[in-house]
Every structure is written in C-alpha cells, then in structure tokens.
Amino acid sequence: MKNFFQNIKKRYLNLPIQAKLTISHLIILSIPVIIVGIFFVFRMYDMVVSETISREQNKTLSVAPTIEKEVDKILQFEKQLKDSTYFEKLTTSKRTESLRTLSFSEDAKEFSNLIEDMQSSTLIKKVKLYINEPPREKDYIVGPLYDNLTLAAEARGSYWHGIFSGTPTTTSLMCPPFYLSSLEKEHYGNAAYITKFTIKQDGVSYQGFLALYFSQDFFDELLKTSLASEDNSAYLINSRDSVVASSQSSGAGAYYFNYDEINEYFTSSNNFIPKTVAGKEVYAAFYNVKGVDWYLVIALPAGPMLTHSYQLVLGMFLIYLFFVLIVFWFANRLSHSLTSRITAVSEEMKRAKSNLPVALPPPTAIDEVGVMIDSYNHMTETINNLMESQMKTAEELRIAEFNSLQAQINPHFLYNTMEMINWLAQQGKQEEVSQAIIKLSRYYKLTLSKKKSFSTLSEELEHVTTYVELQNMRFHDTIELVIDVPEELLDYTIPKLTLQPVIENAVLHGILEKECKTGTLVITAWREEEEIIILVSDDGVGMDEETLKEIYSQDKAGPSKGSNIAVYNTHRRLQILYGETSGLVYRSEIGVGTEVEIHIATSGEETN
C-alpha cells in the first residue's frame, strides 16, 4: 500500500503544471458534489414520494366531488321520477283505473316527457320501468311509455335481478357492467342505478324496478383525469367487492383491495398509506363516495416513483456536471494563461537539445515568467551567435579540406598524362604527341572553365572520354568505353573530377594489368530515392578483399599505390559535400572485374 501511494505521488510530481492545477480544481469541485449527491440519494426517494402523493391528493380532491356530483344527479333523477304523478298513481294502493288506462293518461305523457329530458343529458342514456305482469292484464305496455315499460321477466336473467331476488332487503343498487344483461348493455347502457318499488292491483302486490341506465365510460374517463401519472391507478369499488369503474382494468386488478379492508383503512386514516399488494409496494388512499356504497381507491406503485427519483438524481448530476465542466473550462483557461508561457520556454529548451534554440516573443508581462522568458531570449541570442561563428569556422575548414583534396587530384592526373606524352615523344611520334597535347589542353580547359568546383554529369563524361582517348593513344586503342546514361541525368551537377580517378584506377590497375592489355569500361547511371547512383564497371583483373580495404585508407594510399590516393580523395570529397552515406562503393572479383557505385545525395549542398 505504501508503494502504491508513493507511485501515485511520483506520477503526480511528474505531471505538467497545468495538469496539476486542473487536478486540484477537479478535487475542489468534486468534494461538494459528492456530499450533495450522497445527501440526495438518501433523501430523493422520500421527496419524490411526498411530491407525488401531494399531486395525487390535489387531483383527487377535485375529482372525488365531481364523482359525487354526478352520482347525486342520478339520485336526483331517480327521485324526480318517483315524485311524478304518474309514478305515484302507479304505486298507490288507491288507484282505481287500470294500468292500460293509466298508460294513456296525461300523467303518463308528462312522465314520458320527463324521461326524454333526462335522456337528453350527457349521463342518463335510458330509463326503464320493469313491471311484473298482473293477472288478466297483459296489454298495458302501450301509449307514450311504450318504449319505457318492460315486463319484469325480461330482467330475470340479469345479475342485478338475482341480487334483488336473493336479498329482499335491498331496495337500490348501483350496477357495474357485469351486473347487466347483454341486451341491456347493447341497447340501454353499460351501467345503471336500479331501485325497487311495489305495484298494488286488486289487493295484490307486484314487484317493479326503476332503472336509470348510463355509460360507465364517463366514470372511467373521470378516473383517468384524477391521476397525475400513467403509472398510477384509480378505481371505484362497491360493497359487494365489485369494481364499478377504473382508470385501467390492469391497475384495478394489480392493486385490488376488498371492501372490508378499504373500510378498515378508511376509518383509521384518510392519507396515503404504504401497502404490499401481490408482492408489490404501493401507496394507497381511499375516499368514500357519498350517496352510494362506493369507495374511490387511488394506488401509487412505488417502483415508478423509485425510478423517477433515480432519474431526478441523474438529471441533477448531469446539470451539476455541466456546470462543473463550465467551471473547469474557465479554470483551465486561467491556468493555461500562466502555464502556456512556461510550457513555451520548456518546449524550446527541449528542442534546443537537437536544434538551435529559437527566441520567444517578447514577454507581455514582467512577472517571474516574463523575467524568465527575457533571460531565455538573451541566452538564445548568445548561443546562436556562438553557433553561427562555429559553423562559419567549420565551413571554412570544410572548403579548405575539399580544395586541398581536389588539388591533390589534379597534379596526379597531370603527372600521369605528361608521362604518357613523354613516352610518345621518345618514340618519335610527333603527330600523336600533338594530338595528345591538344586533347590534354581540351581536358584542362573543361576542368578549369568558370573556375568552379562543380560540373554537369555530361561534362564529366566528356572528361573521362578524353582521358580514355589519351590512354588509347598510349596503348593502341585497347580500351573500349561504353556510356549508357539517361538524358534526364546529364544536366545533374556533381563535383569535378569525380569520374576520372575511378576510370583511371580501372584502366591502370584493372585492364592494363591483364596479359592482353585490353578491356571494356561501362558507365551507367540512375536515380534511386534521394540519390544519384553512377556505376563504373570494368573487366580487368579484379581485386582481393585486402586490396579493396586499402582503397578507403589514406595511410595505405602511398606513391606505390598509384592512383589509389585519387580514389580516396574522391571518396572523401563526396562524404564532405553530401554526408557519410555518399561516396564510393567497390565490389570486385579476381579474374572477373570490378564495379564501383558512386553515390551522390540529391539533397546535398553544392559548394563552389
């Protein structure tokens, strides 16, 4: 563990200053967000539950009275019908006229008009009077109430009729859809408020029912509006544990409470209470609907509220993170204004390890960093002056060495040529001597023209051609010269007397050392990447490994070695001018011949 913290400390100390400042800002900003985050993680769920319950209570407080109001309308409609003259005559024991006669009366017409007014409302869809058929009278369902009077036998197959029959004490019933027959739901409405009454005829009592049909969908939609979230559920339940209406059928089934259980909770508390229903955590509240045996149940599942609390925590975290990034950006910019100048000095000092130091722009502020930049610029100027003086001295030495090496070549070539002319003179070949002097004069005219140290490859090829011609004058045309160089390379500039020492060495130590004293020289050239390669090959006697090594050694290139010193000087000249990768590369095989590759970098600097 100790080593772990030591490694962290070491890595921190090696970080750039700006990174250290950035890390310190992040730590300062992270501490409060961690503390606030921990607080909200433990408190957010309670806050979400409290806020959700509060919203649902506000919604329910507005919806529950609306339900009671609509239920009261139904009850008032029922009371109006029962207070009418027709209904009083229908149910009184003092009635003298028959049901048929009553059906054609003005009272029946007024009763029918009252029903039509009720059915024109948005709630009541149909009003029906179910009357048991009295003996000897089967044709009373006539007149204005023909559409509203029905034999009680029609309702005997319904669930609500069974309830009235099974419990004689039941006088009224608010019926959900499954209490009604399919005929009722199809033609009248899918919910109804039904009350029981008695008809007396000839001293005999007959049972009848007054049914006010309406649409359950009205209450379903009303319950949906009572919810602040789609995850919550609301439903109405009656004393027979039947769901009268619900915001969603799945919700009523998932969070079902029976009537007795609801009644117990309602008497103990009218607030939302946590309960576990079918293994699910839920917050439930219960409201009694006045006028009927209904309870309004509001169920809030805990799962969505927990998810919502996590979303709120995540949202707050993202908002905080956004502001942290903004603050971090400003802090980074402020620290950058300080560290950028230090970094600039550091980078320039780092580059100075391999290149000349470069002065920085003058400091805009004279603080500690500004003083450091000013001192660095002064140091840079001093170093650059010293380096410039040193480079100038080195260049002068390079040129002096180059000129010295070239000076060694020219006399050597002249010595060999004059020796050949002398030999021709001794042989009494005046014409050949004259031609040799003319060619020698032409050669030196080309060599010394413009007094520069460089010439084109075309001019160098002319030089060596002249040289071979001079040698053929001496050795009776025993040397054949073949030149195969691309035209695009002929104008390329190379140091003077680059080819001549190589050709001379090939003639003297290659071809002329053969018994037949004859041979062929071939000169080719090509461009390869960033250099020009000139290949000189001969079919002379060749050289062994030891002789090849001596070619590159100045110590071995003494007078006894003939033109070896010229070859060495050519090799050194190319390395001085173009770098160590340039120069001569010899390959030879005894009895076969020798090849020389002359490598000249195309990026080399030309020196006059």
Side-chain angles (χ1 to χ4, degrees), residues 13 59 63 77 79 85 95 171 230 275 289 310 314 483-484 488 521 526 530 550 581:
L13 294 175
K59 282 272 189 179
V63 171
F77 290 159
K79 185 176 184 302
T85 305
R95 176 171 51 84
T171 60
E230 294 180 356
K275 295 296 294 180
V289 180
Y310 288 153
L314 178 61
I483 298 175
D484 183 15
E488 63 268 18
L521 291 170
W526 65 90
E530 295 184 357
E550 291 177 355
T581 58

Side-chain angles (χ1 to χ4, degrees), residues 416-565:
N416 289 335
T417 304
M418 293 301 294
E419 185 180 62
M420 183 268 293
I421 294 173
N422 179 55
W423 180 82
L424 289 174
Q426 289 177 359
Q427 296 295 320
K429 298 181 179 180
Q430 289 84 358
E431 185 177 350
E432 286 83 349
V433 170
S434 175
Q435 291 178 0
I437 293 174
I438 291 172
K439 291 182 182 294
L440 183 61
S441 174
R442 181 184 176 191
Y443 179 84
Y444 272 102
K445 182 179 180 181
L446 293 172
T447 302
L448 301 175
S449 62
K450 299 181 184 180
K451 298 183 179 179
K452 293 184 178 180
S453 300
F454 288 82
S455 62
T456 64
L457 180 56
S458 177
E459 291 171 339
E460 281 294 295
L461 292 173
E462 186 178 355
H463 292 176
V464 297
T465 300
T466 303
Y467 171 78
V468 172
E469 289 175 350
L470 289 170
Q471 294 293 15
N472 275 330
M473 290 180 65
R474 179 179 178 186
F475 297 107
H476 308 291
D477 296 324
T478 57
I479 303 170
E480 182 181 358
L481 177 62
V482 178
I483 298 175
D484 183 15
V485 176
E487 291 186 6
E488 63 268 18
L489 299 181
L490 294 178
D491 292 331
Y492 187 78
T493 303
I494 63 175
K496 286 184 178 180
L497 300 178
T498 297
L499 295 179
Q500 189 271 337
V502 177
I503 295 295
E504 180 181 1
N505 197 61
V507 171
L508 299 180
H509 300 289
I511 295 175
L512 296 181
E513 288 192 5
K514 295 169 63 177
E515 291 184 5
C516 61
K517 305 294 183 181
T518 62
T520 302
L521 291 170
V522 179
I523 302 176
T524 58
W526 65 90
R527 183 186 294 273
E528 186 173 296
E529 295 182 353
E530 295 184 357
E531 64 178 4
I532 298 296
I533 300 176
I534 303 171
L535 177 64
V536 179
S537 58
D538 66 71
D539 56 357
V541 295
M543 293 179 282
D544 55 22
E545 291 295 329
E546 183 177 354
T547 305
L548 283 174
K549 292 179 181 179
E550 291 177 355
I551 289 178
Y552 300 103
S553 174
Q554 187 178 15
D555 296 336
K556 298 294 183 179
S560 61
K561 293 298 180 179
S563 61
N564 281 9
I565 187 171

Side-chain angles (χ1 to χ4, degrees), residues 166-427:
T167 54
T169 57
T170 302
T171 60
S172 64
L173 191 64
M174 191 69 76
C175 302
F178 70 92
Y179 280 24
L180 307 181
S181 66
S182 57
L183 177 66
E184 292 175 289
K185 287 185 286 187
E186 181 179 355
H187 296 286
Y188 308 148
N190 60 0
Y193 177 63
I194 302 175
T195 58
K196 183 170 65 173
F197 62 89
T198 302
I199 300 175
K200 292 183 178 182
Q201 179 75 26
D202 299 329
V204 180
S205 298
Y206 300 97
Q207 192 178 58
F209 301 96
L210 173 61
L212 282 72
Y213 292 96
F214 57 90
S215 174
Q216 183 204 33
D217 298 339
F218 175 83
F219 288 100
D220 289 344
E221 290 299 323
L222 200 59
L223 291 175
K224 288 180 182 179
T225 62
S226 70
L227 301 177
S229 172
E230 294 180 356
D231 299 316
N232 303 335
S233 179
Y235 60 91
L236 293 168
I237 189 170
N238 63 17
S239 59
R240 303 183 68 85
D241 290 329
S242 300
V243 176
V244 177
S246 64
S247 60
Q248 50 180 343
S249 58
S250 59
Y255 312 115
Y256 179 79
F257 294 87
N258 62 55
Y259 192 86
D260 293 336
E261 186 180 11
I262 294 172
N263 192 52
E264 179 183 349
Y265 294 146
F266 180 75
T267 56
S268 62
S269 173
N270 60 354
N271 294 321
F272 280 84
I273 57 175
K275 295 296 294 180
T276 301
V277 181
K280 297 180 180 179
E281 294 293 328
V282 65
Y283 288 85
F286 313 98
Y287 297 86
N288 180 250
V289 180
K290 297 177 182 179
V292 289
D293 60 339
W294 288 358
Y295 273 112
L296 170 61
V297 181
I298 306 292
L300 314 179
M305 288 191 286
L306 184 62
T307 302
H308 183 54
S309 67
Y310 288 153
Q311 292 173 345
L312 287 177
V313 171
L314 178 61
M316 294 183 63
F317 173 77
L318 293 176
I319 293 173
Y320 189 85
L321 179 62
F322 173 73
F323 284 104
V324 166
L325 292 176
I326 291 178
V327 174
F328 171 73
W329 183 82
F330 277 109
N332 187 62
R333 296 303 301 170
L334 291 174
S335 61
H336 179 73
S337 65
L338 172 65
T339 59
S340 59
R341 296 182 294 161
I342 299 176
T343 302
V345 176
S346 175
E347 291 297 324
E348 288 300 331
M349 294 181 72
K350 187 187 299 183
R351 282 193 289 268
K353 292 181 180 179
S354 56
N355 300 291
L356 289 176
V358 178
L360 295 170
T364 56
I366 310 301
D367 54 3
E368 289 85 350
V369 180
V371 172
M372 181 176 65
I373 293 175
D374 187 65
S375 300
Y376 170 78
N377 288 343
H378 176 73
M379 178 188 68
T380 298
E381 183 180 2
T382 302
I383 292 174
N384 285 338
N385 289 336
L386 291 174
M387 292 295 293
E388 183 179 357
S389 176
Q390 184 180 4
M391 290 174 63
K392 185 176 180 181
T393 302
E395 179 66 14
E396 291 174 352
L397 289 174
R398 185 177 71 87
I399 294 174
E401 183 179 359
F402 170 74
N403 291 334
S404 174
L405 290 172
Q406 185 164 332
Q408 293 182 50
I409 293 175
N410 291 339
H412 182 72
F413 171 67
L414 178 61
Y415 169 77
N416 289 335
T417 304
M418 293 301 294
E419 185 180 62
M420 183 268 293
I421 294 173
N422 179 55
W423 180 82
L424 289 174
Q426 289 177 359
Q427 296 295 320

Side-chain angles (χ1 to χ4, degrees), residues 20-30 328 331-332 334-335:
K20 293 176 182 176
L21 291 174
T22 302
I23 292 174
S24 64
H25 291 148
L26 283 177
I27 292 175
I28 293 172
L29 291 171
S30 299
F328 171 73
N332 187 62
L334 291 174
S335 61

